[in-house]
Amino acid sequence: MEAIVYTSNTGHTAEYAKILGEKTGLPVYALSGAQKQLSSGTEIIYLGWLFANGIKGYKKAAKKYKISAICAVGLCDTGTALDEVRKANALSEEIPLFTMQGGMDKTKLRGINKFMINMLTKGIDSKKDRTEEDERMLYLLKNDKNYVSEDNTSAFMEWYCKQ
Ligand SMILES: Cc1cc2nc3c(=O)[nH]c(=O)nc-3n(C[C@H](O)[C@H](O)[C@H](O)COP(=O)(O)O)c2cc1C
């Protein structure tokens, strides 16, 4: 593995990329700027933020680089939603996938992203009989919080150290 490449919208994924860069010693690049620095076929670890279970930038990154492992950053708890994310992105069972909890920063959301979060929040808020899961999601959506932590990278680091 030669580099860490990431796509971030509000900064959480960029924070994880920086943490992993420090822990692994690998150079870190934003996907948007990586093209100039990394040649096609370079073996990378890809980090992208979750958008309706899709991993942002994954398809573009997979066309150019050899992806050894994926870290998907979302509102979901670290280590959860793996099956859904695998399915939504048509990932084979062979590729190591890790989810890491990022956070919510509505002050940085614009356009369709802001609209979708507002609609989702309103939808859950207006439900009469909210489940525990609904309440938890509502809390995560309404309160801008950053859950990025080194602890959330431990499953990834365990895998990485075995390579
Ligand atoms: C439009 C939209 C859709 C999202 N969909 C998901 C999702 O399907 N699953 C999830 O866990 N998080 C989802 N999130 C939460 C983001 O993945 C989360 O805020 C993440 O920390 C953003 O990373 P970033 O700060 O690097 O942009 C969504 C956020 C937005 C704005």
Side-chain angles (χ1 to χ4, degrees), residues 7-8 10 23 27 35 43 45-47 51 54 63 70 94 108-109 113 123 129 138 140 153:
T7 299
S8 183
T10 65
K23 281 178 155 298
Q35 337 278 63
E43 212 175 305
I45 290 156
Y46 184 71
L47 278 74
F51 173 101
K63 269 188 200 153
I70 302 169
E94 280 80 61
K108 292 184 187 160
L109 290 181
N113 294 331
D129 300 307
L138 206 51
L140 291 170
T153 68

Coordinates of all heavy atoms in Angstrom, one line a residue, residues 7-8 10 23 27 35 43 45-47 51 54 63 70 94 108-109 113 123 129 138 140 153:
T7 N -12.2 11.2 0.1 CA -13.1 12.3 -0.3 C -13.9 12.7 0.9 O -14.4 11.8 1.6 CB -14.1 11.7 -1.4 OG1 -13.3 11.3 -2.5 CG2 -15.1 12.8 -1.8
S8 N -13.9 14.0 1.2 CA -14.6 14.5 2.4 C -15.4 15.7 2.0 O -15.0 16.5 1.1 CB -13.6 14.9 3.4 OG -14.2 15.3 4.6
T10 N -17.6 17.6 4.7 CA -17.6 18.5 5.8 C -16.4 18.3 6.8 O -16.3 19.0 7.8 CB -18.9 18.4 6.6 OG1 -19.0 17.1 7.2 CG2 -20.1 18.7 5.7
K23 N -0.7 7.3 11.6 CA -0.5 5.9 12.2 C 0.2 5.0 11.3 O 0.9 4.1 11.8 CB -1.9 5.3 12.6 CG -2.5 5.9 13.9 CD -3.8 5.3 14.1 CE -4.3 5.2 15.5 NZ -3.6 4.5 16.5
P27 N 1.5 8.6 2.8 CA 1.1 9.9 2.4 C -0.4 10.0 2.2 O -1.0 9.0 1.8 CB 1.9 10.2 1.1 CG 2.2 8.8 0.6 CD 2.3 7.9 1.8
Q35 N -4.8 12.8 -8.5 CA -4.4 12.4 -9.9 C -3.0 12.9 -10.3 O -2.3 12.2 -11.0 CB -5.4 13.0 -10.9 CG -6.8 13.3 -10.3 CD -7.7 12.1 -10.2 OE1 -7.4 11.2 -9.5 NE2 -8.8 12.1 -11.0
E43 N -1.4 1.3 -5.5 CA -2.2 0.5 -4.4 C -2.5 1.5 -3.3 O -1.6 2.1 -2.7 CB -1.4 -0.6 -3.9 CG -2.2 -1.8 -3.5 CD -1.3 -3.0 -3.1 OE1 -0.5 -3.4 -3.9 OE2 -1.5 -3.5 -2.0
I45 N -5.4 2.9 0.1 CA -6.5 2.7 1.0 C -7.4 3.9 0.7 O -7.0 5.0 0.7 CB -5.9 2.8 2.4 CG1 -5.1 1.5 2.7 CG2 -7.1 2.9 3.4 CD1 -4.1 1.7 3.8
Y46 N -8.7 3.6 0.5 CA -9.6 4.6 0.1 C -10.6 4.9 1.3 O -11.2 4.0 1.9 CB -10.4 4.3 -1.2 CG -11.3 5.4 -1.6 CD1 -10.7 6.6 -2.1 CD2 -12.6 5.4 -1.3 CE1 -11.5 7.7 -2.3 CE2 -13.4 6.5 -1.6 CZ -12.8 7.7 -2.1 OH -13.6 8.8 -2.4
L47 N -10.7 6.2 1.5 CA -11.7 6.7 2.6 C -12.7 7.6 1.9 O -12.3 8.5 1.2 CB -11.0 7.5 3.7 CG -10.3 6.8 4.8 CD1 -9.0 6.2 4.3 CD2 -10.0 7.8 5.9
F51 N -23.1 8.5 1.7 CA -24.2 9.3 1.2 C -25.3 8.2 0.7 O -25.0 7.5 -0.2 CB -23.8 10.1 0.0 CG -24.9 10.8 -0.7 CD1 -25.1 12.2 -0.5 CD2 -25.7 10.2 -1.7 CE1 -26.1 12.9 -1.2 CE2 -26.7 10.8 -2.4 CZ -26.9 12.2 -2.1
G54 N -24.0 5.0 -0.2 CA -22.9 5.0 -1.2 C -21.7 5.6 -0.6 O -21.7 6.5 0.2
K63 N -11.6 3.2 -10.5 CA -11.2 3.2 -11.9 C -9.7 3.5 -12.1 O -9.1 3.0 -13.0 CB -12.0 4.3 -12.6 CG -13.3 3.8 -13.2 CD -14.0 4.9 -14.1 CE -15.4 4.6 -14.2 NZ -16.2 5.7 -14.4
I70 N -11.2 -0.3 2.2 CA -12.0 0.9 2.2 C -12.5 1.3 3.6 O -12.9 0.4 4.3 CB -13.3 0.6 1.3 CG1 -12.9 0.2 -0.1 CG2 -14.2 1.9 1.3 CD1 -14.1 -0.3 -0.9
E94 N -14.2 -9.9 -0.7 CA -12.8 -10.0 -0.6 C -12.2 -8.6 -0.1 O -11.2 -8.6 0.6 CB -12.1 -10.4 -1.9 CG -12.1 -11.8 -2.2 CD -13.4 -12.3 -2.8 OE1 -13.8 -11.8 -3.9 OE2 -14.1 -13.1 -2.1
K108 N -21.9 23.3 7.4 CA -21.1 23.1 6.2 C -21.8 22.5 5.0 O -21.3 22.3 3.9 CB -19.8 22.3 6.5 CG -18.8 23.1 7.3 CD -17.6 22.2 7.5 CE -16.6 22.8 8.5 NZ -15.6 21.8 9.0
L109 N -23.1 22.1 5.3 CA -23.9 21.4 4.2 C -24.5 22.4 3.3 O -25.0 23.5 3.8 CB -25.0 20.5 4.8 CG -24.5 19.3 5.5 CD1 -25.7 18.5 6.1 CD2 -23.7 18.4 4.6
N113 N -27.3 18.1 -0.4 CA -26.9 17.5 0.9 C -27.7 18.0 2.1 O -28.2 17.3 2.9 CB -25.4 17.6 1.1 CG -24.6 16.9 0.1 OD1 -25.1 15.9 -0.4 ND2 -23.4 17.4 -0.2
G123 N -38.9 14.2 8.4 CA -39.6 12.9 8.3 C -39.7 12.1 9.6 O -40.7 11.7 10.1
D129 N -45.1 7.4 16.3 CA -44.5 6.4 17.3 C -43.1 6.1 16.9 O -42.8 5.2 16.1 CB -45.3 5.1 17.2 CG -46.7 5.3 17.6 OD1 -47.0 5.9 18.7 OD2 -47.6 4.9 16.8
L138 N -32.5 10.8 15.1 CA -33.0 12.2 15.3 C -31.9 13.0 16.1 O -31.6 14.1 15.7 CB -34.3 12.2 16.0 CG -35.2 13.4 15.7 CD1 -35.4 13.7 14.2 CD2 -36.6 13.2 16.4
L140 N -28.7 12.3 16.4 CA -27.5 12.5 15.5 C -27.7 13.5 14.5 O -26.8 14.3 14.1 CB -27.2 11.1 14.9 CG -26.7 10.0 15.8 CD1 -26.6 8.7 15.0 CD2 -25.3 10.4 16.4
T153 N -10.6 3.8 14.7 CA -9.7 3.3 13.7 C -9.1 2.0 14.1 O -8.3 1.4 13.3 CB -8.5 4.3 13.3 OG1 -7.6 4.4 14.4 CG2 -9.1 5.7 13.0

